[in-house]
Amino acid sequence: MAGQMHLKYLRAFAVLAEELHFGRAAERLAVAQPQLSVWIRRLEQDLGVVLFDRTSRTVRLTDAGHAVHGPILKTLESASLIERAAMLGSSAVVGQVVVGYAGASSRDVIPPLAKAVRAAEPGIELKLKSLVYGGLAPAQVSTGAIDIGFARLPVRDKDVLARVFAYERILVALPEDHPLAGAETVALKDLAKEPFVAFPATVGSNLRDATTRLALEAGFSPRVMQEAPDSYAVLSLVAAGVGVSLTLSSVTHINPPGLVYRELAGPPTYLAVAVVWRDQGVGRATQAVLDIFEQIMPTPAYPPGRILS
């Protein structure tokens, strides 16, 4: 019976599975609610199963509905690629590229990349995947979970390639009433007795590693009294007076009340940010996105100071 299914039935299922409300789903599909009900019933007839439990108050997926949800979404993605290929012609690059991103610094990367890909290769669909932590990107690339990611060096996965596209300066984040907040620069050794706020040590954060490394060079081991999952949370805790933190120039747009940023004393110290991808088996669409990204964000000149690696 599968050959009798129409794409509009599958799209109706996908939207209703997301909304779990016939009225909202019908509005998104720009059809009347009775028409949506007809499409769902016909899909259920074609499959020979009930996909949704319906009551006067709730709509929810049945076990059969959960089972077909993933395959239906994949079918719709494939159909979208077929439509793009037909529209653009055989010479166009057509495909889906999964881009993993994480952190507040991604706001300077994702929008210009998406815009440039749409303009240069409209047949490529960028699928954005939040990774929570940038340190996870190389492993995700290695396993094929994503095609392209963004990570800070060093990248130690042997089958992953990296190209630097930015250098982020390491700064000190302090509560505004901290005794050192009035200084232009802060020597790391002066923070030896301070409580630190940092990313969890278990997620492979390059910034957490850099904090430990620089503190040890300054003669102390940082006392991390509070961990937080992202820069917004870390810097909010610093602003609240929970502790101090080392952070990066790419997140200084985060300005909760009570927070100040100060330069580290001495030569500027940086972490390098790189785009990462698999060493082998890069598809045509992925390579096209990498080429576009290199055009809009080329590798910058080596900055003065020290780059941690």
Side-chain angles (χ1 to χ4, degrees):
M1 295 293 184
Q4 299 177 5
M5 287 186 292
H6 295 284
L7 283 175
K8 63 184 177 184
Y9 300 167
L10 301 184
R11 292 191 179 102
F13 169 87
V15 173
L16 184 57
E18 184 177 337
E19 294 288 349
L20 295 178
H21 188 282
F22 272 87
R24 291 195 298 269
E27 184 176 350
R28 279 182 55 183
L29 291 164
V31 299
Q33 187 170 326
Q35 182 65 68
L36 172 60
S37 298
V38 169
W39 288 349
I40 296 299
R41 284 199 302 272
R42 287 180 179 171
L43 179 60
E44 290 175 327
Q45 290 169 3
D46 287 344
L47 294 174
V49 294
V50 176
L51 300 173
F52 293 94
D53 282 330
R54 310 160 174 85
T55 70
S56 59
R57 293 186 177 181
T58 63
V59 178
R60 64 181 183 180
L61 285 167
T62 64
D63 290 343
H66 282 292
V68 303
H69 187 220
I72 284 178
L73 292 182
K74 288 184 179 298
T75 298
L76 291 172
E77 287 179 0
S78 297
S80 176
L81 293 178
I82 292 170
E83 291 170 352
R84 288 179 181 222
M87 176 182 67
L88 295 167
S90 60
S91 62
V93 179
V94 177
Q96 183 184 85
V97 178
V98 182
V99 179
Y101 69 98
S105 58
S106 296
R107 77 188 199 114
D108 294 328
V109 177
I110 296 298
L113 175 60
K115 182 178 180 180
V117 170
R118 282 197 305 270
E121 295 289 355
I124 295 177
E125 177 187 2
L126 287 187
K127 186 174 183 180
L128 304 179
K129 180 179 179 181
S130 175
L131 302 182
V132 183
Y133 297 108
L136 301 175
Q140 293 271 302
V141 165
S142 180
T143 62
I146 62 175
D147 299 305
I148 294 172
F150 305 105
R152 296 182 179 94
L153 297 187
V155 173
R156 296 186 173 90
D157 300 70
K158 294 181 180 178
D159 57 347
V160 174
L161 298 178
R163 180 186 66 80
V164 173
F165 66 87
Y167 294 104
E168 297 178 318
R169 197 167 70 262
I170 297 178
L171 305 174
V172 181
L174 301 168
E176 66 179 0
D177 59 355
H178 192 280
L180 296 174
E184 291 186 7
T185 65
V186 175
L188 201 53
K189 64 181 178 61
D190 293 336
L191 301 177
K193 296 182 179 181
E194 299 287 341
F196 275 73
V197 184
F199 293 126
T202 55
V203 299
S205 165
N206 294 75
L207 181 57
R208 171 73 178 252
D209 292 344
T211 298
T212 302
R213 177 177 171 182
L214 292 173
L216 290 174
E217 290 177 359
F220 70 97
S221 179
R223 295 187 303 118
V224 178
M225 303 302 292
Q226 181 69 52
E227 295 180 338
D230 54 55
S231 293
Y232 293 98
V234 168
L235 295 172
S236 293
L237 289 170
V238 173
V242 173
V244 302
S245 186
L246 295 191
T247 190
L248 296 165
S249 55
S250 60
V251 302
T252 54
H253 61 279
I254 302 174
N255 278 303
L259 177 75
V260 296
Y261 296 100
R262 293 294 179 261
E263 298 284 347
L264 270 176
T269 303
Y270 302 86
L271 286 180
V273 193
V275 56
V276 294
W277 68 95
R278 283 188 300 280
D279 187 13
Q280 302 292 332
V282 175
R284 188 181 174 201
T286 299
Q287 187 59 58
V289 174
L290 289 170
D291 292 343
I292 291 168
F293 189 63
E294 187 167 9
Q295 291 175 14
I296 64 172
M297 291 191 174
T299 300
Y302 201 90
R306 177 188 182 191
I307 299 172
L308 297 185
S309 61

